[in-house]
Amino acid sequence: MGSFSIWHWLIVLLVVVLVFGTKKLRNIGSDLGGAVKGFKEGMKSEDGKSEQAKTEIPPSSGQTIDGEARKETTKS
């Protein structure tokens, strides 16, 4: 069973279209495209937020964060 030829892929495509129908496949394609577009926009907005956060507090500002560390105990 070697590699598939173009005829194998065309038959598989025909079966998929017959099973799901063109309308359902079009809806799946548009949903997938919308998800990719939303992901890209989300990544762009996150890049802008991280760049903005870097410019708000420079590393040499001399600010100190006070805090206390607690030891975590486990129950037996």
Side-chain angles (χ1 to χ4, degrees):
M1 193 137 172
S3 64
F4 292 108
S5 69
I6 187 71
W7 294 109
H8 290 105
W9 290 115
L10 288 175
I11 292 171
V12 169
L13 180 64
L14 178 67
V15 169
V16 168
V17 169
L18 288 174
V19 169
F20 293 107
T22 56
K23 185 176 180 181
K24 181 96 170 175
L25 291 176
R26 191 178 321 123
N27 290 342
I28 291 171
S30 65
D31 290 344
L32 183 61
V36 170
K37 184 177 179 180
F39 178 75
K40 286 182 179 180
E41 289 175 359
M43 293 301 292
K44 286 181 183 177
S45 68
E46 287 296 322
D47 288 341
K49 288 180 184 176
S50 65
E51 289 177 9
Q52 183 182 9
K54 288 179 185 177
T55 59
E56 287 178 359
I57 303 175
S60 62
S61 66
Q63 293 180 348
T64 305
I65 299 173
D66 292 328
E68 181 179 324
R70 290 185 265 167
K71 185 176 182 181
E72 186 176 321
T73 59
T74 59
K75 295 181 180 180
S76 301

